[in-house]
Amino acid sequence: MKPVAANKGALLLACAVALSCNDGQPPSMRTWPAVHDTVGDTIVVRPLGGSVWQDSTRLVGPEPRIVYRSEELGWPGVIIALDGGRLAVSDRTRIHIITQDGEPLGIIGRAGKGPGEFSLIGGMAAWPGDSLLVWDPNQYRLTWLSVAGRAGRTALVEAPPGLAAGEEIDLVPGPAGVVLVWYPGYVLPDGPPPPYALARHDLDGGLEQELARVPGFAMIGTSMGVFVPRSLYGPRPLYAVALDGRVAVSDGVEYCVLVLQPDGDSGRPLRICRDVERPLVQPEIRAPDYSALADLLSPRDLDLLRSRLLVQEFPERKNAIEELRFDSGGRLWVRRTGADERYDPMLLGPYPELRPEHYDWDVFDRDGRLLTTVALSSRFEPRLILGNRIYGVVTLDTGENVVALVELTDGPF
């Protein structure tokens, strides 16, 4: 996904208009100037101002506050909003119903393959009648489940040709059906990157339309018998679905995101690109100091890191984008790759002390304008963005996973 050159006249005009509109506004509410080009049937939006690594309108969110913890909670996955100020939190095969302030209201679902049972919950959506629509990618099955735990009808889903396994995705049912993501169930080592496909399915499970394909990971084997991505950085399948049915996809290498309009909408696809220089791969990643890491890493992780370094490719520069999300207002949140990360990405999950303090998220309006940048604690994994309230997951030093909340007090939300 390569950026498209902008017209210089349009660029100067956009800068002049945007700068005049920003006069008198606090820094956190300013929007960067942008240029729009049309390439084929796609509108390309290019924010112009600010450095991707040092932005003048960067908002630093407060530390996440724990709102729900329970001995019954194993791994909080999907978090969605329900009517009446409630949340549904998936926990692999069960669903915790809580208030937005974390008061427990009940647990529904269980492990299994029968009605109301799940192998893995990979998506949820609120459904009329105080119910949920639940996606189980392991069983290729949609289930309608009441908040009281009563199973309704189910639908087996037809995978796209050549693809065999479903993935976790934000579930957004609409009149045209629901968008799901698929990848090959068996990936040949040393082969080309397998494509991930986003496809729309009707609510009876039938395949309606393939929307986009995104490159996946090319895998390679290590001496420990573990398969890892051949390239340490990108391409990678990134995707998100907005509540209005828009779909965002990117391969993460360049800073470009393609936003597809919902089915039946006359709007053209939107490509949001930032002209940024991807950060260099740090020496500590290419050649880590094993003696310094020995006291921190488990022996197995240290051995796995050594075996990975022997077979993985290390590009000169990192990929640009790590994650995509839409918020409740339809704005697109894009998490950048950290420029100051100095350790192998394999270590950043289980060893939070090696991460930078914050991860930066660029927030784009529906028309592609860059609104602001929000810095969130690197210990916090956002799952649901409701206005200025961001619900997510934090893993405590004890290894316990909890639901946490970050409340922003500033910004265009």
Side-chain angles (χ1 to χ4, degrees):
M1 299 181 180
K2 297 293 184 183
V4 180
N7 177 275
K8 291 184 178 179
L11 178 106
L12 294 174
L13 177 61
C15 289
V17 171
L19 290 173
S20 64
C21 291
N22 285 338
D23 287 346
Q25 294 185 24
S28 61
M29 296 295 290
R30 294 175 183 166
T31 59
W32 277 282
V35 166
H36 291 66
D37 284 332
T38 300
V39 180
D41 65 347
T42 302
I43 299 174
V44 180
V45 183
R46 306 173 64 79
L48 301 174
S51 160
V52 73
W53 307 123
Q54 292 182 331
D55 293 325
S56 58
T57 61
R58 184 173 182 262
L59 305 176
V60 179
E63 283 299 301
R65 172 172 60 88
I66 297 174
V67 293
Y68 180 65
R69 64 191 303 179
S70 168
E71 293 181 353
E72 300 286 335
L73 185 63
W75 173 244
V78 183
I79 303 177
I80 65 167
L82 304 174
D83 291 339
R86 298 169 298 170
L87 301 176
V89 182
S90 74
D91 184 9
R92 291 193 176 94
T93 60
R94 302 186 301 170
I95 301 169
H96 298 245
I97 308 298
I98 63 176
T99 69
Q100 290 191 11
D101 294 323
E103 294 296 323
L105 300 175
I107 300 175
I108 60 176
R110 58 187 179 273
K113 296 185 178 180
E117 297 177 341
F118 306 97
S119 297
L120 177 68
I121 296 173
M124 300 189 299
W127 193 263
D130 209 26
S131 294
L132 298 167
L133 177 61
V134 185
W135 166 233
D136 186 334
N138 283 2
Q139 301 190 50
Y140 297 5
R141 189 175 69 181
L142 294 168
T143 298
W144 282 257
L145 185 70
S146 77
V147 173
R150 292 186 297 273
R153 76 180 182 95
T154 62
L156 293 177
V157 180
E158 175 189 351
L163 301 175
E167 285 277 277
E168 182 179 297
I169 192 171
D170 296 327
L171 205 61
V172 182
V178 63
V179 175
L180 302 175
V181 64
W182 302 85
Y183 78 106
Y186 178 72
V187 178
L188 292 174
D190 303 323
Y196 282 56
L198 282 90
R200 181 176 289 108
H201 300 260
D202 62 40
L203 293 179
D204 291 323
L207 177 62
E208 289 288 303
Q209 178 188 13
E210 185 175 304
L211 302 176
R213 291 212 170 200
V214 189
F217 298 98
M219 306 299 286
I220 192 168
T222 71
S223 59
M224 294 182 63
V226 176
F227 290 100
V228 297
R230 181 192 301 163
S231 174
L232 189 64
Y233 292 100
R236 62 188 60 196
L238 303 178
Y239 48 83
V241 184
L243 290 175
D244 62 5
R246 287 175 299 141
V247 175
V249 295
S250 175
D251 66 6
V253 177
E254 302 292 342
Y255 198 123
C256 273
V257 181
L258 178 65
V259 181
L260 305 172
Q261 301 300 322
D263 189 52
D265 193 296
S266 59
R268 289 177 290 182
L270 186 72
R271 189 184 299 275
I272 301 170
C273 295
R274 293 199 67 180
D275 289 324
V276 300
E277 186 176 11
R278 306 199 322 265
L280 292 168
V281 176
Q282 303 283 3
E284 291 88 342
I285 296 176
R286 293 178 180 270
D289 182 353
Y290 293 117
S291 61
L293 294 173
D295 293 336
L296 177 66
L297 272 58
S298 70
R300 175 175 172 78
D301 284 348
L302 194 57
D303 288 343
L304 180 56
L305 177 61
R306 287 191 176 104
S307 68
R308 283 165 55 107
L309 291 173
L310 293 175
V311 298
Q312 281 189 311
E313 298 173 359
F314 289 82
E316 179 183 354
R317 296 186 177 275
K318 301 178 184 179
N319 57 307
I321 300 174
E322 290 284 350
E323 191 174 352
L324 304 177
R325 284 205 172 272
F326 282 103
D327 66 16
S328 59
R331 292 169 285 261
L332 177 66
W333 292 55
V334 178
R335 181 164 82 83
R336 313 176 195 146
T337 301
D340 56 348
E341 292 175 6
R342 309 186 73 85
Y343 295 95
D344 190 294
M346 181 197 87
L347 305 178
L348 301 184
Y351 300 99
E353 56 268 50
L354 298 182
R355 303 178 200 150
E357 185 176 0
H358 296 92
Y359 288 143
D360 283 350
W361 294 76
D362 293 334
V363 185
F364 295 90
D365 211 345
R366 296 172 61 93
D367 61 1
R369 288 176 301 132
L370 182 58
L371 296 174
T372 191
T373 296
V374 179
L376 298 176
S377 169
S378 63
R379 300 177 66 93
F380 179 70
E381 299 180 33
R383 295 283 195 272
L384 173 68
I385 307 173
L386 287 174
N388 68 331
R389 295 168 67 90
I390 307 175
Y391 291 91
V393 178
V394 169
T395 301
L396 305 180
D397 292 338
T398 60
E400 179 186 4
N401 298 305
V402 299
V403 178
L405 170 67
V406 170
E407 292 188 88
L408 301 177
T409 58
D410 201 357
F413 309 112

